[in-house]
Amino acid sequence: MFPKPQPVLAPNTYAYESEPMVKPTGFREYDARWLFGTEINLMGIQALGMGLGVLIAELGQRQEIVTGHDFRSYSASIKYALISGLLASGCKVHDIGLCMTPMAYFAQFELDVPCVAMVTASHNDNGWTGVKMGANRPLTFGPDEMSRLKEIVLNAKFKNKPGGSYQFHENFPARYIADLTKGHRLKRRLKVVVACGNGTAGAFAPQVMQAIGCEVVPLDTELDYTFPKYNPNPEDMEMLHAIRDAVLQHRADVGFGFDGDGDRCGVVDNTGEEIFADKVGVMLARDMSAITPNAQFVVDVKSTGLFATDPVLQQQGAKTAYWKTGHSYMKRRTHELGALAGFEKSGHFFFNAPLGRGYDDGLISAIAICEMLDRAPDKSMADLKNALPKTWSSPTMSPHCPDEAKYGIVERVVKHFEDMQNDGEKVAGQKIRDLVTVNGVRVTVQDGSWGLVRASSNKPELVVVVESPVSEERMRDMFEAMDSVLRGHPEVGEYNQKI
């Protein structure tokens, strides 16, 4: 028997050391995230491992799983608590140690293991922990699996049994790096800034970029789990501005920024200007569709409208489908459609063959960008960016909103804009041309300007993005229109950043 998890326990008490604590809201749409110590304890993590073992068996997979952990002061402890739960449930555990998330995905293929449980808080601030899980490579869990896992864990529906075993795979990163760099050698000598925010990718990214022929300028690549400079998140302007300064100082061809667990890549061009990941996706789609006839791409609803309107993509016969934001949703849709690649505005890119195996890997993204530059030897990164039709785009902006309230608020915001469309009312001075409600609401008006509001899948936040093909002023008009609706909900707090 194992105690039923409690939603709240007070630290520094007997109960906290004797019972599992698991806050229910930590089970997100496609992975799990908690504040360690206040929302989950080590026994709670152990319960998660036991529950995951049950779910794997229910899904009809053999109980064999890869696990690894990111570089946080507490991640190893959490991983071993998770492993103890997996072992109790009868799983054979393959531990690859300290690693990036895509290294764990790679290990599923390299070791022929069906399941994965990667201990990572990704780009979240220190204090957060979580687990990215899957039982059908290269896919990760979606809402159905996460809902069932939540039910198993919170109700202590464990089925522990003997037969679990543990194997540590020594020096596994070398196998990952060899696979990643095989067959990739640039003709063009590129100087690249490699920025890691002192996160996990710092142990691996510089040597990967050197191995394909780049001259590497390392920036905050020393591992330091206090993150002394800034959080390793290539969507945050603080990290992008640090990359900009390094690119200009060293006259680099491009700057790459990797998030805390290495599955995302941010980009700064040779002039020091950040290129939001959706625009990078358009550039890559142009490059890839030029050499692959009838290329199919998938992009998330936060992404630029250029995927649908770019004349070069149209001329090259490329087709693009918009889909739900979230690495699991995008990974699954890219897989289902057999798309050449999927691009998410957050920087999660999903490459199928020949470049990848369908999962998100920030280093594969960086290699793809370098090879795009290699195929355009007379063009700079800024040249390729400036060749795109001009639009004015915001970064991803996230106002605080409690997990318990955010989905209900988004439902009411969707209803608000649906009513406006039905009544012929104007948004930012123009009638609504189109509403996409596959994930929150994306409101497009007559001149092509659009705004998005959705609930964050992994933090107590909403997500707001706006873009205009007309002017910066129209982009700001759309932001005011979206924000004015949110301001009608007192639960919506301050933004992490604004235009």
Side-chain angles (χ1 to χ4, degrees):
M1 296 293 290
F2 194 82
K4 187 174 179 178
Q6 301 299 311
V8 180
L9 290 172
N12 196 22
T13 62
Y14 177 84
Y16 189 88
E17 294 297 319
S18 307
E19 299 177 62
M21 175 179 67
V22 182
K23 187 179 180 183
T25 54
F27 293 92
R28 312 284 168 161
E29 288 180 50
Y30 44 80
D31 57 24
R33 304 275 174 101
W34 290 275
L35 283 165
F36 180 52
T38 58
E39 296 182 350
I40 197 165
N41 61 4
L42 288 175
M43 281 190 75
I45 295 288
Q46 191 176 4
L48 179 68
M50 291 191 290
L52 180 55
V54 172
L55 179 60
I56 289 168
E58 282 188 5
L59 293 172
Q61 283 288 13
R62 73 179 192 270
Q63 287 181 293
E64 195 167 349
I65 190 165
V66 168
T67 188
H69 69 282
D70 68 0
F71 194 74
R72 308 258 178 167
S73 62
Y74 43 83
S75 288
S77 299
I78 288 167
K79 183 185 70 175
Y80 291 124
L82 183 75
I83 287 172
S84 72
L86 290 166
L87 293 174
S89 72
C91 287
K92 179 177 181 180
V93 177
H94 296 265
D95 184 1
I96 61 171
L98 178 68
C99 67
M100 305 190 309
T101 294
M103 199 181 297
Y105 298 153
F106 165 71
Q108 290 177 271
F109 291 87
E110 177 75 0
L111 304 176
D112 190 23
V113 174
C115 306
V116 66
M118 173 66 192
V119 172
T120 177
S122 188
H123 64 277
N124 285 26
D125 299 327
N126 264 325
W128 286 91
T129 191
V131 187
K132 292 181 178 177
M133 295 162 278
N136 182 22
R137 64 189 184 210
L139 307 181
T140 41
F141 285 169
D144 291 344
E145 295 94 340
M146 289 306 299
S147 295
R148 178 58 183 149
L149 180 61
K150 178 179 180 178
E151 181 184 7
I152 293 167
V153 172
L154 296 185
N155 292 292
K157 295 182 178 178
F158 308 124
K159 298 176 182 176
N160 291 350
K161 58 189 179 185
S165 65
Y166 174 86
Q167 181 177 356
F168 184 83
H169 293 268
E170 196 173 359
N171 299 323
F172 189 80
R175 296 165 74 172
Y176 165 75
I177 291 169
D179 179 82
L180 201 59
T181 57
K182 183 181 178 182
H184 298 286
R185 188 71 188 180
L186 303 174
K187 301 182 190 71
R188 181 177 178 180
R189 183 68 169 169
L190 294 173
K191 181 186 282 191
V192 303
V193 171
V194 174
C196 301
N198 304 109
T200 318
F204 314 107
Q207 55 187 300
V208 167
M209 302 315 295
Q210 284 170 348
I212 67 167
C214 292
E215 179 185 347
V216 170
V217 178
L219 179 65
D220 302 321
T221 57
E222 307 83 4
L223 298 188
D224 185 341
Y225 49 57
T226 67
F227 303 149
K229 303 285 185 63
Y230 45 77
N231 219 42
N233 182 3
E235 278 193 292
D236 284 356
M237 300 310 291
E238 191 174 4
M239 184 174 190
L240 289 167
H241 289 164
I243 300 170
R244 172 200 63 196
D245 294 344
V247 165
L248 294 175
Q249 179 187 347
H250 295 279
R251 297 184 179 180
D253 295 292
V254 64
F256 296 122
F258 300 96
D259 73 333
D261 65 336
D263 56 11
R264 292 191 295 132
C265 177
V267 180
V268 171
D269 72 17
N270 52 295
T271 71
E273 185 173 322
E274 65 272 359
I275 313 176
F276 295 135
D278 54 346
K279 297 285 182 69
V280 176
V282 177
M283 295 160 67
L284 285 169
R286 279 183 163 194
D287 175 61
M288 297 169 76
S289 61
I291 56 178
T292 306
N294 304 312
Q296 169 80 57
F297 300 101
V298 178
V299 300
D300 77 319
V301 294
K302 292 195 298 184
S303 292
T304 175
L306 287 178
F307 283 102
T309 62
D310 178 48
V312 173
L313 290 180
Q314 291 175 347
Q315 181 185 345
Q316 292 174 178
K319 295 181 177 63
T320 302
Y322 283 83
W323 195 240
K324 298 177 183 180
T325 293
H327 68 86
S328 277
Y329 294 129
M330 287 289 296
K331 210 168 340 197
R332 191 173 297 266
R333 192 63 172 165
T334 303
H335 180 74
E336 287 170 351
L337 295 180
L340 191 59
F343 303 113
E344 192 177 5
K345 185 179 171 68
S346 65
H348 286 279
F349 290 175
F350 313 87
F351 294 98
N352 278 320
L355 199 54
R357 295 179 175 86
Y359 53 79
D360 36 339
D361 187 332
L363 288 172
I364 291 178
S365 302
I367 290 170
I369 291 163
C370 289
E371 292 187 335
M372 174 179 69
L373 287 167
D374 209 35
R375 283 190 282 268
D378 58 338
K379 296 282 200 314
S380 69
M381 194 71 186
D383 291 335
L384 296 176
K385 175 200 69 184
N386 293 334
L388 299 179
K390 178 68 174 173
T391 70
W392 287 261
S393 307
S394 76
T396 300
M397 301 173 285
S398 300
H400 181 80
C401 189
D403 285 319
E404 297 83 355
K406 64 187 182 185
Y407 291 104
I409 288 171
V410 169
E411 282 182 18
R412 294 196 290 276
V413 171
V414 172
K415 177 73 163 51
H416 174 87
F417 284 111
E418 286 176 336
D419 290 345
M420 290 186 74
Q421 184 182 40
N422 292 335
D423 296 340
E425 294 182 43
K426 293 181 177 180
V427 174
Q430 296 190 10
K431 285 191 175 181
I432 296 172
R433 188 181 81 194
D434 183 47
L435 286 183
V436 176
T437 57
V438 69
N439 188 205
V441 61
R442 176 168 167 152
V443 184
T444 305
V445 298
Q446 293 297 325
D447 67 1
S449 302
W450 60 269
L452 170 81
V453 174
R454 59 177 289 272
S456 169
S457 301
N458 48 39
K459 292 181 81 173
E461 296 174 341
L462 300 180
V463 174
V464 179
V465 181
V466 292
E467 181 184 53
S468 175
V470 179
S471 66
E472 182 179 349
E473 182 182 5
R474 288 295 295 145
M475 175 189 72
R476 293 183 180 276
D477 289 344
M478 285 303 298
F479 174 68
E480 291 301 324
M482 307 306 285
D483 185 56
S484 66
V485 175
L486 294 181
R487 290 300 133 212
H489 300 276
E491 303 97 329
V492 180
E494 293 300 313
Y495 285 77
N496 65 333
Q497 57 186 359
K498 274 186 177 182
I499 54 173

